[in-house]
């Protein structure tokens, strides 16, 4: 298929400073996502101490599980909305034009969760859920835009590593969340004089608000740089069909590209040419025939992955509890500090190494193989946890093998499907559908996250009512839950093996062609634009064309 020369130049460009700058700018939304996700656990410990009374048995105030589930669920549902809405807007009005809006929603949501309007329990919780939903919308919208922008700026040799690096910012968000929580709670504990376990000072109500609001700072710091980013050349050339503008925009941020040879006459010829509207839409039969399989595999793999990935919190408490003092022996700040400390340890030991391994291997091994290996190893480790759980692991959660298996589950998820499901939707679809399809896939993943973090949290409770944790109802037991999660991982392996294509080492346009664009020349506007931009050999700018190839 003929190629637009500026896109060929992008695919062959050397790695430059702006690529790394784009990783940081695009990754800040993912950073905020993980900051919010992981700081909510210690925050809810503080909320329970402040707004719920201690029990007669001397147990400190505890946030009811239903309230915790609500605060987690509303943010995930907001992310579903954000993925779909901003994914579609990214294809309709441009990636850059809505990129800043997502960031503003994240900033406003983070600040709003901290203020939470009032001081009475019901009002605080309702306000917290509202602003977490708003925050979730911003975070969800950032997923398709960040992945699409990075994929369209990157060269084809290292595109996977660049997108994986954007996604790996989640790991740094976890560390930042833990570090901020530990610093704030330690400072407040010292300032309030190391209170007794059941003596929760009013300052605790300020501490959790500060933790949440600090999450707005990294996002706010990158707002200017997002607004200064040019529109991607692929959107400008293939969707807006303005090749000259694409050349001018990309020339401002990437050097060593000879983009100055198109004459005014040739630019005018491009503008004068009547460009037909795209021959088919997102809901057309043709889209279903050419891209329906890819959309199914991207959305289903992401949905399947997020069920076991987000449900990993089910057995986190089994490791946490034996290593740290019970809540009845520590004050509010110490309890939140210990939860954050444990999350930091898991992040350093498994989560972040998994992201780094993905960045290193993604353009060497390939997306498909990594996703299959990740799903398979997740299943292996989940079954290893499930098999002897009732007979052994339940009472031996502090044993090194149990901790290693738990950490390896995170490592393999981040090495494989947790990263590849973010990358593949940004590589498989035409430019005018890319952000939308990524948003649909991400929304499916967040629905899986709701099932994993809420439904399985309740299902994992013991069948014996006498052993059920306070505030829960009897479930199917931890062993059965882990077996189901392992089986779900195997389903992900099967879906990947049957449906997922490999995209490594090819340009975005080549991936599009291989997945059903062979007949585009019969009426697709993008293909005709490719042909228009092949300059005649005798034109004044023939040297530009030769330099692009």
């Amino acid at each position: 298929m003929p190629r637009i020369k500026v896109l060929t130049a992008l695919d062959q460009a050397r790695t430059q400073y702006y690529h790394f700058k784009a990783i940081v700018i695009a990754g800040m939304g993912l950073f905020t996502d993980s900051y919010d996700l992981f700081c909510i656990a210690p925050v809810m410990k503080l909320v329970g101490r402040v707004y719920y009374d201690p029990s007669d048995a001397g147990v400190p105030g505890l946030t009811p599980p239903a309230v915790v589930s609500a605060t987690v669920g509303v943010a995930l549902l907001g992310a579903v909305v954000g993925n779909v809405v901003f994914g579609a807007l990214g294809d309709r009005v441009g990636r850059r034009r809505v990129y800043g809006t997502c960031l503003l929603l994240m900033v406003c949501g983070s600040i709003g969760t901290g203020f939470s309007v009032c001081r009475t329990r019901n009002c605080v919780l309702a306000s917290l859920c509202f602003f977490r939903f708003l925050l979730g919308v911003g975070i969800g919208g950032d997923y398709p835009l960040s992945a699409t922008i990075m994929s369209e700026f990157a060269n084809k040799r290292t595109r996977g590593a660049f997108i994986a690096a954007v996604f790996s910012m989640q790991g740094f968000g976890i560390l930042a969340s833990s570090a901020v929580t530990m610093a704030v709670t330690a400072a407040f504990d010292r300032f309030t004089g190391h209170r007794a376990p059941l003596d929760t000072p009013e300052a605790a109500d300020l501490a959790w608000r500060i933790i949440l609001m600090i999450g707005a700072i990294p996002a706010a710091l990158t707002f200017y740089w997002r607004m200064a980013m040019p529109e991607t050349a692929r959107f400008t050339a293939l969707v807006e069909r303005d090749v000259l503008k694409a050349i001018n925009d990309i020339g401002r941020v990437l050097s060593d590209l000879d983009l100055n040879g198109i004459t005014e006459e040739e630019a005018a010829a491009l503008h004068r040419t009547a460009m037909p509207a795209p021959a088919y839409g997102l809901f057309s039969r043709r889209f279903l025939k050419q891209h329906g399989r890819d959309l199914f595999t991207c959305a289903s793999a992401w949905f399947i992955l997020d069920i076991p990935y987000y449900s990993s919190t089910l057995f986190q408490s089994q490791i946490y509890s034996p290593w740290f003092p019970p809540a009845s022996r520590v004050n509010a700040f110490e309890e939140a500090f210990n939860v954050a400390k444990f999350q930091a340890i898991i992040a350093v030991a498994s989560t972040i190494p998994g992201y780094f391994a993905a960045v290193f291997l993604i353009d060497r091994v390939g997306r498909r193989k990594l996703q299959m290996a990740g799903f398979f190893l997740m299943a292996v480790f989940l079954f290893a946890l499930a098999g002897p759980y009732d007979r052994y692991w339940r009472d031996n959660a502090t044993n090194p093998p149990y901790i290693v298996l738990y950490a390896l589950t995170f490592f393999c998820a981040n090495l494989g499907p947790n990263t590849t499901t973010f990358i593949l939707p940004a590589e498989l679809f035409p430019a005018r559908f890319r952000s939308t399809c990524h948003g649909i896939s991400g929304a499916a993943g967040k629905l899986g996250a709701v099932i994993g973090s809420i439904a399985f949290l309740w299902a994992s409770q013991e069948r014996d009512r006498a052993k059920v944790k306070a505030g829960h109802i009897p479930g199917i037991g931890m062993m059965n839950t882990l077996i189901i999660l392992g089986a779900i991982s195997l389903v992900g392996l099967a879906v990947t093996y049957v449906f997922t294509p490999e995209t490594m080492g090819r340009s975005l346009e080549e991936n599009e062609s291989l997945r059903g664009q062979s007949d585009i020349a019969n009426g697709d506007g993008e293909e005709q634009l490719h042909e228009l931009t092949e300059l005649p050999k005798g034109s004044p700018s023939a040297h530009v064309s030769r330099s692009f190839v």
Side-chain angles (χ1 to χ4, degrees):
M1 182 175 73
R3 297 292 313 284
I4 294 178
K5 300 305 184 180
V6 66
L7 305 188
T8 302
L10 278 174
D11 285 332
Q12 297 176 355
R14 64 178 179 84
T15 300
Q16 302 177 33
Y17 164 75
Y18 190 78
H19 288 124
F20 296 103
K21 181 178 177 180
I23 288 172
V24 175
I25 296 172
M28 208 45 60
L30 284 303
F31 181 99
T32 304
D33 176 26
S34 59
Y35 182 98
D36 169 74
L37 176 66
F38 281 85
C39 78
I40 198 64
V43 159
M44 294 313 291
K45 297 292 185 183
L46 292 171
V47 169
R49 298 276 191 141
V50 173
Y51 291 101
Y52 291 89
D53 297 327
S55 68
D56 295 335
V59 178
L62 177 68
T63 306
V67 175
V68 176
S69 296
T71 58
V72 172
V74 293
L76 294 174
L77 292 176
V80 172
V81 174
N83 267 284
V84 174
V85 172
F86 283 99
L89 288 175
D91 284 332
R92 289 183 64 87
V93 302
R95 289 79 158 107
R96 175 187 173 276
R97 292 175 185 171
V98 294
Y99 208 22
T101 306
C102 288
L103 206 64
L104 286 177
L105 279 175
M106 285 187 276
V107 172
C108 293
S110 296
I111 295 174
T113 54
F115 279 113
S116 292
V117 181
C118 46
R119 294 285 301 274
T120 61
R121 182 171 70 191
N122 290 339
C123 183
V124 164
L125 293 176
S127 178
L128 180 63
C129 287
F130 171 78
F131 284 110
R132 279 184 59 79
F133 178 84
L134 187 68
L135 176 64
V137 172
I139 290 172
D142 200 81
Y143 270 65
L145 297 174
S146 291
T148 300
I149 286 172
M150 196 68 244
S151 72
E152 293 181 346
F153 269 120
N155 63 61
K156 66 181 181 180
R157 297 184 308 277
T158 58
R159 184 179 62 240
F162 285 158
I163 305 175
V166 170
F167 197 65
S168 72
M169 294 294 286
Q170 285 193 329
F172 296 103
I174 298 171
L175 278 184
S177 169
S178 300
V180 168
T181 302
M182 292 167 66
V184 170
T185 53
F188 272 80
D189 190 31
R190 182 176 180 180
F191 175 77
T192 56
H194 305 287
R195 299 293 186 91
L198 297 182
D199 183 11
T200 301
E202 286 192 12
D205 195 32
L206 178 62
W208 68 265
R209 297 170 187 271
I210 292 175
I211 293 169
L212 291 175
M213 287 191 288
I214 287 177
I217 295 176
L221 290 176
T222 58
F223 179 77
Y224 168 78
W225 299 111
R226 284 200 176 187
M227 291 297 92
M229 291 180 75
E231 184 56 81
T232 68
R234 284 183 162 90
F235 180 84
T236 304
L238 300 177
V239 181
E240 294 184 329
R241 289 167 280 177
D242 190 342
V243 179
L244 184 60
K245 185 176 185 299
I247 293 173
N248 291 333
D249 286 346
I250 203 63
R252 290 193 292 115
V253 295
L254 293 179
S255 59
D256 296 340
L257 298 179
D258 187 3
L259 303 174
N260 298 315
I262 292 185
T263 66
E264 293 183 4
E265 291 78 6
E266 291 162 343
L270 289 175
H271 283 292
R272 286 196 305 268
T273 304
M275 295 303 301
Y280 62 98
L282 179 66
F283 300 104
S284 66
R285 185 174 300 177
R286 183 173 174 183
F287 175 87
L288 183 63
K289 178 181 177 181
Q290 294 183 352
H291 306 291
R293 174 183 172 129
D294 289 337
L295 185 56
F296 167 78
T297 188
C298 290
S300 59
W302 207 334
F303 174 82
I304 291 168
L305 175 274
D306 274 2
I307 295 176
Y309 186 79
Y310 278 79
S311 65
S312 61
T313 55
L314 297 178
F315 43 98
Q316 189 175 92
S317 61
Q318 300 295 323
I319 302 176
Y320 167 82
S321 299
W323 286 94
F324 295 99
S328 59
R329 293 174 51 191
V330 293
N331 63 35
F333 301 118
E334 291 169 335
E335 184 181 17
F337 182 96
N338 289 336
V339 172
K341 180 180 178 180
F342 175 74
Q343 290 176 338
I345 292 171
I346 294 298
V348 172
S350 62
T351 305
I352 294 177
Y355 285 130
F356 286 172
V359 172
F360 179 76
L361 294 174
I362 195 74
D363 286 316
R364 292 172 170 85
V365 176
R367 290 76 157 139
R368 185 172 183 270
K369 290 180 181 178
L370 277 184
Q371 186 161 303
M372 290 174 61
F375 272 127
F376 174 74
L377 292 173
M378 285 176 65
V380 169
F381 297 132
L382 286 169
F383 286 140
L385 288 167
Y389 185 85
D390 286 343
R391 291 174 294 175
Y392 184 74
W393 291 131
R394 185 196 305 276
D395 301 319
N396 295 275
T398 58
N399 285 5
Y402 185 87
I403 300 173
V404 170
L405 289 173
Y406 176 77
L408 285 174
T409 303
F410 267 108
F411 177 86
C412 294
N414 291 321
L415 168 64
N418 194 39
T419 299
T420 55
T421 52
F422 182 76
I423 295 173
L424 284 166
E427 297 183 317
L428 284 172
F429 301 99
R432 68 178 183 275
F433 299 130
R434 188 168 292 135
S435 179
T436 301
C437 291
H438 196 289
I440 293 172
S441 302
K446 292 306 181 185
L447 289 175
V450 172
I451 295 174
S453 60
I454 298 178
F456 274 89
L457 174 64
W458 291 79
S460 64
Q461 299 302 309
E462 297 293 340
R463 286 170 288 185
D464 184 355
R465 184 175 292 274
K467 298 180 180 179
V468 174
K469 295 180 180 178
H472 289 85
I473 59 176
I476 60 176
M478 183 66 77
M479 185 183 75
N480 292 330
T481 299
L482 291 171
I483 291 174
I484 293 173
L485 294 175
I488 290 173
S489 298
L490 291 180
V491 173
L493 171 63
V495 168
T496 303
Y497 178 77
V498 175
F499 297 107
T500 302
E502 182 55 71
T503 59
M504 178 179 66
R506 293 193 291 264
S507 73
L508 298 178
E509 290 69 41
E510 287 169 340
N511 284 325
E512 172 190 339
S513 299
L514 292 172
R515 302 306 298 169
Q517 293 293 316
S518 60
D519 58 341
I520 278 183
N522 296 326
D524 191 298
E526 288 181 18
E527 172 67 15
Q528 295 180 38
L529 181 58
H530 282 300
E531 295 172 350
L532 281 168
T533 51
E534 290 293 323
L535 301 178
K537 290 183 179 180
S539 70
S541 299
H543 69 282
V544 177
S545 297
R546 288 192 295 271
S547 69
F548 283 173
V549 177

